[in-house]
Amino acid sequence: MAAGIFVHAGLPEYAEPSNGGDVANMAFVIGTQSVAVIDTGNTPGLGRDLREAIRQRTDLPVRFVISTHMHPDHVFGNGAFLDDRPDFVAHVNFQGALMARADTYQRRLEESFGAEEAGRAVLVPPTVTVATTHRIDLGGRSLELTAHPTGHTNNDLTVFDTATGTLFAGDLVFQERLPTVDGSGLGWLRVLDALTALPARRVVPGHGPASSPWPAGAEDTRRYLTTLVGDIRAIQKDGGTIDRASAEAAASEWGRWRLFDEDNPRNAVTVFAELEWE
């Protein structure tokens, strides 16, 4: 996708047997001395496929496996890299958030892909955590990692490759598939404001095509969140209920996104509760 950067784009769908769980973007960056992996997919099998793809392109060691947040479609492949003995890097809040849902994630994996595949899954704890910023050196190129306040989740981590101007945004940027709010709608908008100030040329979203121009690549996510927040504020000002918000908020965005009917009502409930206390 750019010099030394490889991205696999997942499908804009829910993880299920028919798509092998391949629903989130995965990437790796090759320096002159080592490799960094950014998100490893929804199953141990996808992690193994990713590792094999790296080996087809370089014999340099994988020294970093970076998780942009704790959702299972981004981290269940981490165990495929244990034998490489890399640093597993994540937001300082990552492990607590992951463990709070670990049983649920493991059960869903087993229900969707069977006990054998679920038994291979290892929820690898980070060996390096990022509270503010952190820089890693791959040889000839550095990656700048930033831990963000609560937005999509409370443990969002972005990666910026200064050599190519590529921003790996994780699920702070969605395209095609509807953004899902698992943190703060208002916080997410503030994080996007900060990110758009970066001198990036392109973004790799957590879901969507392999890359898009930056900052234009954030505009769909920003528009949806702004619409959702504005509609819910108007409903609350009118004395409307959370059920009304679930049915009506962000209705103008219908038809623009995959999985809108499934995910928008949940987003509305989350943001309604957040805005009640403004």
Side-chain angles (χ1 to χ4, degrees), residues 28-51:
F28 58 94
V29 182
I30 302 174
T32 61
Q33 297 175 358
S34 63
V35 179
V37 179
I38 304 168
D39 289 342
T40 60
N42 193 60
T43 68
L46 285 168
R48 294 191 297 273
D49 290 345
L50 176 59
R51 188 175 185 275

Side-chain angles (χ1 to χ4, degrees), residues 104 147 192 241 246 251:
T104 299
L192 286 177
T241 65
S246 177

Side-chain angles (χ1 to χ4, degrees), residues 56-186:
Q56 290 175 5
R57 289 160 178 83
T58 180
D59 58 2
L60 290 172
V62 175
R63 291 202 175 134
F64 305 94
V65 174
I66 303 165
S67 298
T68 61
H69 62 294
M70 88 301 186
H71 285 158
D73 52 335
H74 297 262
V75 304
F76 259 136
N78 283 2
F81 294 90
L82 283 169
D83 288 346
D84 296 290
R85 300 182 181 275
D87 282 332
F88 289 91
V89 188
H91 192 289
V92 69
N93 293 337
F94 173 92
Q95 186 67 5
L98 179 62
M99 288 299 99
R101 299 182 184 176
D103 290 344
T104 299
Y105 290 165
Q106 196 80 22
R107 184 171 63 253
R108 287 178 183 171
L109 184 68
E110 182 171 350
E111 290 170 353
S112 297
F113 301 102
E116 184 176 354
E117 182 72 346
R120 296 192 184 102
V122 180
L123 294 176
V124 184
T127 58
V128 175
T129 59
V130 183
T132 53
T133 60
H134 183 69
R135 184 186 294 265
I136 62 177
D137 183 8
L138 304 181
R141 71 195 311 162
S142 62
L143 302 180
E144 297 177 353
L145 281 57
T146 302
H148 296 279
T150 300
H152 169 62
T153 68
N154 76 337
N155 57 103
D156 297 311
L157 187 74
T158 57
V159 182
F160 183 48
D161 174 49
T162 56
T164 64
T166 302
L167 172 65
F168 299 86
D171 280 6
L172 287 166
V173 174
F174 277 68
Q175 293 175 358
E176 298 181 2
R177 174 179 171 172
L178 190 76
T180 54
V181 184
D182 193 16
S184 163
L186 295 177

Side-chain angles (χ1 to χ4, degrees), residues 222-242:
R222 186 197 301 276
R223 186 195 65 245
Y224 169 73
L225 293 171
T226 300
T227 301
L228 180 66
V229 168
D231 286 358
I232 290 175
R233 280 177 169 155
I235 290 168
Q236 289 178 337
K237 186 175 181 180
D238 192 44
T241 65
I242 197 168

